[in-house]
Amino acid sequence: MEHRAGADEDERSWQRLANCLGVDPDLFFPERGVSTREAKEVCRGCVVRAECLDYALANGEKFGIWGGLSERERRTVRRARAARASRGGAASA
Ligand code: SF4
């Protein structure tokens, strides 16, 4: 399991550079109907936004703001990527 632990650590190493370090996590997991604007503002200036979004998509994160996107927005991205892959766009990956 050593290999797996190393992979997990690698997979999440981007979190050390996260703009949201030290920010109230509740901001990123708001109650239904509460604005996500403040969380998205934090994400806007984040240098690991792409990594964060990819992680959330790869791990099927269903709740909260990841990579500056809400659950609904991530679903849209996931569908678009799946459609692109089915057209052969991900053949080189
Ligand atoms: S994109 Fe947003 S949620 Fe993801 S690490 Fe950066 S600040 Fe945090």
Side-chain angles (χ1 to χ4, degrees), residues 13-87:
S13 61
W14 53 267
Q15 290 181 344
R16 285 193 289 260
L17 300 171
N19 224 20
C20 54
L21 280 180
V23 177
D24 181 0
D26 287 351
L27 208 61
F28 294 85
F29 295 91
E31 296 291 324
R32 197 175 198 84
V34 173
S35 171
T36 58
R37 194 174 54 81
E38 274 186 79
K40 288 179 175 179
E41 280 296 319
V42 176
C43 296
R44 197 186 313 277
C46 182
V47 296
V48 291
R49 193 171 162 177
E51 289 85 346
C52 177
L53 178 60
D54 285 345
Y55 179 86
L57 292 173
N59 290 282
E61 294 289 351
K62 289 201 171 33
F63 304 103
I65 304 296
W66 292 77
L69 301 184
S70 66
E71 296 103 273
R72 190 186 302 168
E73 291 163 336
R74 288 198 304 280
R75 266 201 305 276
T76 303
V77 170
R78 197 178 300 123
R79 276 196 217 106
R81 287 186 180 184
R84 207 178 311 136
S86 73
R87 287 196 304 264

